[in-house]
Each structure stands twice: as structure tokens, then as C-alpha cells.
Amino acid sequence: MRVLEVSNYEEMSALAAELIGAQVLLKPRCVLGLATGSSPIGTYERLVEAHREGRLDFSQVRTVNLDEYCGLRGDDPNSYRFFMDHHLFSRVNLQRENTHLPNGAAPDLEEECHRYEALIQSLGGVDLQLLGIGRNGHIGFNEPSDSFPPVVHTVQLTESTIQANSRLFERIEDVPTQAITMGVGTILKAERILLIAGADKRYILEEALTGRVTPQVPASVLQLHRDVTVIVCREE
């Protein structure tokens, strides 16, 4: 595991984009695992800049996102499909049919979980998985629990996660309480993992990277992966 400390969010975003861009250059038909939330927005901005300057070509890249809210269609402004379209997909030359997220509006969520897990494996697995980390140590929407979920599954969001995500909604009552997420086992199958974290996550990040491996701190499982790079900010 490599832990890279940078001064601020801008440096973190630039370095993360460089690492993702290197993956695309190394393997143009790679599979990128992508994340949502505030942490990766700057990274996506840098990737868009690189594309516009002719330094990155996404035409062959396939993407799979970590998660999606249950009950939201892809055209809902609060959905993660909408987020990805807005911040990345529509701004580079990704082929829409090569961008994949769970369908949170599927009539049978259990079947959708099976479908999405199979889809990821059918693509040959993830070459580089981008992650953030929650204040309670969650990765994707894998909340603290008694075990590490092995595959894509639905999850009941904790009150702390709902509170954290409520800033993106008009009312906290509008925040979905369930999501479909890659399982910890699914995430660990990625060839490489890149985790980015702001200064406000330093406490939980230290616990995850140096404490015991436990599903009560889901990110702690990353200690077991063979190729993890962590970029953390010293200040906001």
C-alpha cells in the first residue's frame, strides 16, 4: 500500500487524475471503477481537461460505478447516473453504452444485483477502482456491519450516511434510505485501487489503514489488497 500526502484538494485531484489517465494510456480498453460524492469531482474536472487538450482518449474505456440509490431513475437529478453524466460522461468521448451503473429503479432489486455483479465480471473485472471513504469507514455503500458483503447487494443506509448526503437534496426526507452497491468482495477483485480522502477523513483513514481489519470499519479490508494507492490531503 502506498500513502501519498498532498497539500490540498487541488493537488489530490490532479494526482488522482494523473494516475487514472495513466491507466487509460496504458490500456485504452480498460475498465474503470468510478465513485460519486464530493471527493472525486475535482478529479473528473482534471480528466475532462486532459481530454479537451487531446491528452486522453476515452473512446474505448468501459466504466462501472460503485453504487446507485434505490428508487431513483437515471434521469433524476439526485441519481448517481445523473451525477456521472454531468461531471464526466457527457464531457468526454465515452460511449454511453460503455458506462454502467446499477439500475436503482429496477422492479426486482435482487435480480438487478445479480445482473450487475455478472456484468462487472463479464467485462473482465475492474482494472482501476476509484474510492472515497465515509466518516464511518464505509466504501461504496458498504456500511459497518458484522461481515464483509462479497457481491453486489442492496443496503440500508445508516443515519450518519443519510445526514452526510442530505446536503445534496432539498430536504433530508428526500434522501433515499437504500442503495445498490458493489460488495467488498467485488471491490477487492479490482487489479488496482485508488482511494482519495480529504483532511476531514484523516482520523477514520488512519483507523482503516493501521487498525485491525474488521467489517465494523469496511475500508480496513483494503489492507489485504495487493495494490492500493491512497491520496490524502493535509488541509481542506
Side-chain angles (χ1 to χ4, degrees):
M1 180 180 294
R2 296 188 300 161
V3 179
L4 308 176
E5 190 173 58
V6 296
S7 296
N8 51 46
Y9 180 83
E10 288 72 25
E11 288 187 16
M12 180 187 77
S13 299
L15 181 53
E18 286 179 12
L19 295 175
I20 295 170
Q23 175 65 66
V24 174
L25 292 172
L26 180 68
K27 183 179 179 182
R29 193 167 167 74
C30 65
V31 178
L32 297 179
L34 300 178
T36 52
S38 57
S39 294
I41 290 176
T43 300
Y44 295 149
E45 287 292 331
R46 295 298 185 110
L47 291 173
V48 170
E49 288 175 13
H51 168 68
R52 289 178 174 170
E53 294 169 0
R55 293 185 285 117
L56 281 182
D57 175 16
F58 291 89
S59 60
Q60 298 182 62
V61 171
R62 284 82 51 78
T63 70
V64 288
N65 262 74
L66 283 166
D67 39 38
E68 179 61 281
Y69 286 122
C70 293
L72 299 187
R73 292 165 48 91
D75 57 359
D76 188 303
N78 290 313
S79 73
Y80 285 159
R81 162 62 76 175
F82 192 95
F83 176 100
M84 293 304 305
D85 285 341
H86 177 73
H87 289 289
L88 183 66
F89 293 165
S90 67
R91 303 173 67 194
V92 298
N93 62 333
L94 276 162
Q95 306 302 308
R96 188 170 181 83
E97 62 269 22
N98 288 338
T99 63
H100 306 284
L101 289 88
N103 178 9
D108 187 332
L109 294 178
E110 183 175 355
E111 179 57 34
E112 176 60 14
C113 292
H114 292 313
R115 182 200 70 82
Y116 197 62
E117 179 74 29
L119 168 70
I120 295 167
Q121 305 316 317
S122 74
L123 295 174
V126 175
D127 292 295
L128 175 62
Q129 177 66 58
L130 177 64
L131 296 177
I133 183 171
R135 296 182 191 279
N136 61 3
H138 73 242
I139 48 175
F141 270 132
N142 293 286
E143 302 281 11
S145 67
D146 295 329
S147 62
F148 290 116
V151 295
V152 176
H153 62 290
T154 58
V155 62
Q156 193 76 23
L157 303 183
T158 64
E159 185 60 32
S160 64
T161 297
I162 291 171
Q163 288 284 347
N165 292 349
S166 65
R167 70 189 187 283
L168 305 174
F169 292 78
E170 288 188 10
R171 304 178 307 157
I172 192 169
E173 294 82 4
D174 297 332
V175 184
T177 58
Q178 284 187 308
I180 298 175
T181 185
M182 287 188 195
V184 170
T186 314
I187 292 169
L188 288 179
K189 289 179 182 177
E191 285 295 314
R192 300 168 60 205
I193 292 175
L194 171 60
L195 188 150
I196 57 178
D200 61 325
K201 305 290 181 60
R202 289 178 70 91
Y203 174 79
I204 189 62
L205 188 63
E206 181 176 356
E207 184 177 352
L209 301 185
T210 64
R212 68 187 183 93
V213 176
T214 169
Q216 293 299 319
V217 183
S220 65
V221 77
L222 298 179
Q223 296 179 44
L224 306 179
H225 195 277
R226 63 188 175 280
D227 192 345
V228 177
T229 299
V230 178
I231 307 175
V232 58
C233 300
R234 285 194 293 269
E235 60 186 51
E236 288 301 310

